[in-house]
Amino acid sequence: MTKNSEAEVTVIGSGSWATAIVKMLCTNVSKICWYIHFEEELKYLKKYHHNQKYLSAVNFKPEKLLLTGDINRAVKASDIIFLVTPAAFLKQTLAPLIIPLKGKIVCSAIKGFIPDDTCIVGEFIHNNYNFPYSAIVIITGPSHAEEVAMEKLTYLTIASQDPERAKITAHVLKNHYLRTIISDDIYGTEYAAVLKNIYAIGAGICIGLGYGDNFLAVLLSNAAMEMKTFIDNIHPIERDIKSSAYLGDLLVTGYSQFSRNRAFGNMIGKGYPVQTALMEMTMIAEGYYASKGIHKVKSDKNLDIPIAETVYRILYENAIPSKEIYNLTKILK
């Protein structure tokens, strides 16, 4: 932390996962700068010390928080920046930023695709802010904010090409209910976090159509193999797709009651039009935007990812869910 810093860590975002990360940080960090874009939410948190919309049962000690609606103050406030906005809104959130990111550790806990730029968050930060990959940290699950709020035992994977930055990030996060795993696979862990949301939508569609756990197990095991094919083609290094950052995150998102992407898919399987299902969601279903981005990457690379493509056709080409899933059942192993 630099001499003139206002806080040890900055968190950008005010949704459920951002709120959960602030809760985790409160264990080890004396002062957290928390950037909240919406003025009404900011005022409420200042007055009542909890997030009105997300994880409202989590109360914060006011002396721990430096609350601000100024993105430049937030970034200037500390040397460790956690990005925890929906991927679809990251570009808009950072648009007013004039404070340089140089010299800071930028941690992305975003599990989505930047829609217009067709890239993962790490690539977006590198390309748009001339920021070195070595200073980027990727934080992935398996994790749901709701279980973090209840202090259920959770494991996070902290990925960075710089082991020291990974250790620093792990140190500020870990506590009695949060354990950390260090990785150097910034591409694979982030792409896995993007893909698992698409597969969770597929799982939800199947549940909405009336398929049971037996088929869901087949779907997700095939999705794991498909994930490996995709990631190994994008960034071919040695990795164990069966570890928690890949398979674990896929399983919790495909099976959990807390999965917003599965809930979104479930509505579509039950007959909701895609746009209606999106409007019904109280939180962003990252897999919706990711599906379009992964489809473009798949097309450019000429990859065979039939489960992800099935979800894409349902979401973006008005394909009939029952017909698409039935056709998919014929090729799964």
Side-chain angles (χ1 to χ4, degrees), residues 158-178:
I158 315 297
S160 177
Q161 294 177 343
D162 182 344
E164 189 59 32
R165 283 181 167 86
K167 289 177 184 176
I168 291 170
T169 307
H171 173 72
V172 298
L173 284 169
K174 63 184 179 181
N175 55 42
H176 65 281
Y177 60 87
L178 195 287

Side-chain angles (χ1 to χ4, degrees), residues 318-330:
N318 295 317
I320 300 171
S322 58
K323 183 178 180 181
E324 287 291 329
I325 298 301
Y326 176 72
N327 289 338
L328 185 63
T329 66
K330 297 177 182 179

Side-chain angles (χ1 to χ4, degrees), residues 217-233:
V218 174
L219 178 74
L220 293 179
S221 60
N222 277 262
M225 292 187 285
E226 185 172 299
M227 177 185 286
K228 177 175 171 55
T229 297
F230 183 93
I231 295 173
D232 285 351
N233 273 275

Side-chain angles (χ1 to χ4, degrees), residues 14-34:
S14 60
S16 59
W17 191 221
T19 305
I21 284 181
V22 173
K23 174 182 167 60
M24 287 185 273
L25 290 168
C26 281
T27 304
N28 300 322
V29 176
S30 59
K31 197 77 170 183
I32 302 158
C33 180
W34 192 356

Side-chain angles (χ1 to χ4, degrees), residues 195 198-199 201-203 205-206 215 218-230 233 291 294-295 298-299 302-315 317 319 321 323-333:
L195 285 162
I198 299 171
Y199 298 135
I201 292 175
I205 292 171
C206 292
F215 176 68
V218 174
L219 178 74
L220 293 179
S221 60
N222 277 262
M225 292 187 285
E226 185 172 299
M227 177 185 286
K228 177 175 171 55
T229 297
F230 183 93
N233 273 275
S291 181
I294 291 296
H295 169 74
K298 169 262 175 192
S299 300
N302 194 29
L303 300 176
D304 183 25
I305 49 172
I307 301 174
E309 282 296 285
T310 294
V311 174
Y312 172 79
R313 288 192 295 272
I314 293 170
L315 296 182
E317 295 183 351
K323 183 178 180 181
E324 287 291 329
I325 298 301
Y326 176 72
N327 289 338
L328 185 63
T329 66
K330 297 177 182 179
I331 63 171
L332 298 183
K333 300 176 182 178

Side-chain angles (χ1 to χ4, degrees), residues 230-242:
F230 183 93
I231 295 173
D232 285 351
N233 273 275
I234 295 296
H235 188 60
I237 64 170
E238 187 175 341
R239 60 174 61 87
D240 184 1
I241 207 73
K242 299 186 297 297

Side-chain angles (χ1 to χ4, degrees), residues 9 90 93 103 108 124 128 138 208 218 241 257 261 298 307:
V9 177
L90 180 62
T93 299
S108 171
F124 173 78
N128 289 271
I138 303 300
V218 174
I241 207 73
Q257 61 177 318
N261 289 282
K298 169 262 175 192
I307 301 174

